[in-house]
Structures are given as C-alpha cells and as structure tokens.
Amino acid sequence: GHLIVESSGLLETQIVDAARQISELRQIDVNNKGKMAQLMSETRDQQHGYLMGVDQFQASRRAFAVQAKLLVESLAPEKIEEIVKRTRKQMAGSLTTVGMKAAMKSVLDELRAVLLNAVAVCEETRKLVKGIYAKFQEEHGVSELKPPLLSLKQYQAELEQVFDEGESFRESASSTLIEQSTVVVKLYTTTIARARELFEQAHKDAIGWTTMALVPLVHQIKDHKRVIESRLEVLRIVNETGASLDGEIASLSKSLNNLRQKYSEFAAIRRVLQLDSAAPADETPANTEDYRPSK
C-alpha cells in the first residue's frame, strides 16, 4: 500500500517538474546570448546549492537513523518479554493475595510506561522527519511532498483498553476467590497475551516505517538532480550550437503525457485498494499522512 502511495507522490512531483520545464523552455529566446548565459549561470548556481543541500540532507539522515533506532528499541520485544517473565515469576511466587495483586498492578503499570515512552519517541521522530522534508523543499523550491508518518494512536487506544480490562480483572472478586495459579494463567493468556501481540505489531510497523520514511524524499532529491543536469545540458547545447528548443520541448511533452498516464493508473489502483480518498485520475491528490503498512 505505501509503495503505491509513494510512487503516486513521485509521479506527481515528476509531472509538476516536467510541466515547469516545458513552460520555462518556451520562454527562452535562443537568439538572446546574454539571456542564455544568465540562465546557464543561474542553473549552475542551483546545481551548487543542490550539492550543498545533499550534504545537509546526509547529516539529517544520520540524525534520523539515531532517532529511528530509539523508536524501534522503545518497542523491542525483548523489553516486553523481560517485564512479562519477571512479573509472572513475582505473581507465581506471591504468598498472599495482596502480593499477587501488587504484582498484577506492576506488570500493567510497566507495560503502560513502555507504551507512553514509545508514543513520545514516535512523536519526536515524526517531527524530525517532517522537518527534514520541509527544509529540503523550502531551500530548493521542489514540489511539496508530504512524508509518510507513523502513528501509534490506534495501538495506544487498544493497549489502554487492554490495560483497563486487566485492572478491572485485578480488582474483581473472582481474582480474589479463585485459585492463585488460575488467576495468573488467566491474566497472562488473555490481557498480557493481547498486549504482547499489539506491542509486537507496533514494533514491526516501526521497523517498516523507519526503513522507508525518507525514501520518497531520496527519490525526489535524485529527480531534482536529474532535472537540474538536464536543463544545464540543454542550455549548453543550445548556447553552443544555436539549435532550436522545439525538439526538447516535444520530447518533454511526450514524457509528460506518459507520466500522466502512469499517474492515472496508480490513481485507479489507489481507489480500488481504498488506500485513501484518491482524486479522479486527472486530478492531483494529496499524499499520504500516516504510514499504513500492507496487510
């Protein structure tokens, strides 16, 4: 699903860039040597700025890698397993009902603390990703591309419900009256088992998202490089040979039509898969906001 959305966003960017190039080429007076020289100088400046931007992006990428590692580790199964095994041992070894219920509260509280920490780390990582995208787009004037963003809200809501159910069971009369070993088994085969399942899926989502969060921007950066180099080459050839721009404009127009056709095909796929409220094929839809892994 996210690959379809990413490809649609990349095509959208390429369509905007191609249309802009065609418009700019149509305004160029090939007989005005002074203007041609000025355009080449401006394009070289853009190329220099792009190279500096790439260096800055690589630094941002390294910062993201550090933050991404924190996010993935905040949901690591090993962390959940350590809590579950330790508290289960405490519950099984409790000599009194009070001690057992204290251990039950401990496991719920510790798992909730893991959740809240992961949500906080996720929010920081989201802000970093949004900042990386915004910075490059603002500095280089490329088409806006909204980053895919991981959201733990669904997991948070479900886990909080699980914790509330566990707390209700802990305070219930049945947890006091039935045999202690039965209480332990029931808690860990229902409440804790469901919590582990949700944490495991959130961990997988975090790994998937951190792997591809910057990929759309990487593609856009490469495409921006291609556009600058292509324009510089066209200007060089025209300036040296005095050739007409008609051939280049025709080639770009053909490419633009192909891009629009591909975009229409992706828009149709998005509607069939109900990935989002995809616009009609001839319109430009918004890009994805929250990361949704493929089922």
Side-chain angles (χ1 to χ4, degrees):
H2 71 265
L3 291 175
I4 294 294
V5 173
E6 178 196 327
S7 297
S8 297
L10 182 59
L11 283 170
E12 182 181 343
T13 298
Q14 291 174 336
I15 288 170
V16 171
D17 287 337
R20 183 188 296 125
Q21 286 184 74
I22 292 172
S23 176
E24 291 175 348
L25 289 176
R26 284 174 175 162
Q27 296 176 37
I28 293 177
D29 181 0
V30 296
N31 296 316
N32 189 333
K33 296 297 183 180
K35 184 63 175 177
M36 290 292 295
Q38 179 184 344
L39 288 173
M40 290 187 68
S41 177
E42 290 174 352
T43 305
R44 288 195 182 97
D45 288 342
Q46 290 177 6
Q47 187 179 46
H48 178 68
Y50 160 82
L51 293 174
M52 292 181 61
V54 169
D55 289 340
Q56 294 173 354
F57 171 72
Q58 294 300 341
S60 297
R61 203 174 188 178
R62 289 191 290 272
F64 170 74
V66 173
Q67 188 65 28
K69 186 172 184 289
L70 291 177
L71 174 59
V72 171
E73 288 178 348
S74 72
L75 292 162
E78 297 81 11
K79 180 177 297 188
I80 306 302
E81 285 303 307
E82 190 280 325
I83 294 173
V84 169
K85 289 180 179 179
R86 173 169 44 79
T87 52
R88 181 164 189 166
K89 186 175 181 180
Q90 290 173 353
M91 284 184 63
S94 297
L95 300 177
T96 65
T97 300
V98 173
M100 180 190 68
K101 291 200 171 188
M104 291 172 69
K105 184 176 189 307
S106 176
V107 66
L108 296 174
D109 287 347
E110 288 191 48
L111 290 177
R112 179 178 275 112
V114 171
L115 169 64
L116 294 178
N117 177 65
V119 169
V121 175
C122 181
E123 184 57 31
E124 287 300 313
T125 312
R126 283 168 57 100
K127 288 180 181 178
L128 177 59
V129 170
K130 290 168 71 174
I132 292 173
Y133 273 72
K135 183 178 171 101
F136 191 88
Q137 290 165 356
E138 178 183 355
E139 292 181 351
H140 299 282
V142 294
S143 303
E144 181 181 3
L145 183 65
K146 292 182 180 179
L149 297 173
L150 176 68
S151 175
L152 295 181
K153 289 182 180 179
Q154 179 182 350
Y155 292 113
Q156 184 176 15
E158 291 188 45
L159 281 165
E160 287 293 353
Q161 182 177 351
V162 169
F163 296 151
D164 288 344
E165 291 172 357
E167 184 63 22
S168 296
F169 174 65
R170 188 181 78 87
E171 295 179 346
S172 67
S174 61
S175 67
T176 302
L177 299 175
I178 62 179
E179 187 179 347
Q180 185 168 315
S181 60
T182 303
V183 172
V184 174
V185 170
K186 184 173 182 179
L187 178 69
Y188 279 81
T189 56
T190 55
T191 301
I192 303 305
R194 178 57 179 156
R196 289 163 78 179
E197 178 183 323
L198 289 168
F199 273 117
E200 181 179 355
Q201 187 57 55
H203 180 252
K204 289 179 180 179
D205 286 0
I207 292 175
W209 177 69
T210 55
T211 300
M212 56 75 62
L214 297 183
V215 170
L217 183 56
V218 170
H219 287 168
Q220 188 182 51
I221 289 172
K222 290 181 179 179
D223 202 55
H224 186 53
K225 175 178 181 288
R226 179 190 59 78
V227 169
I228 293 176
E229 292 178 346
S230 174
R231 176 174 177 171
L232 193 59
E233 180 63 13
V234 169
L235 291 174
R236 184 189 65 79
I237 293 174
V238 171
N239 189 52
E240 292 178 356
T241 66
S244 169
L245 290 172
D246 292 345
E248 184 65 22
I249 291 174
S251 177
L252 277 172
S253 296
K254 182 179 179 180
S255 297
L256 179 58
N257 289 334
N258 290 336
L259 288 170
R260 284 173 172 162
Q261 177 61 36
K262 290 179 181 178
Y263 184 85
S264 297
E265 294 169 1
F266 275 105
I269 294 172
R270 288 171 66 161
R271 287 194 298 274
V272 170
L273 297 181
Q274 298 180 343
L275 295 176
D276 55 18
S277 54
D282 59 343
E283 295 183 6
T284 300
N287 290 299
T288 183
E289 292 185 355
D290 284 334
Y291 170 70
R292 292 289 183 270
S294 300
K295 297 294 184 183

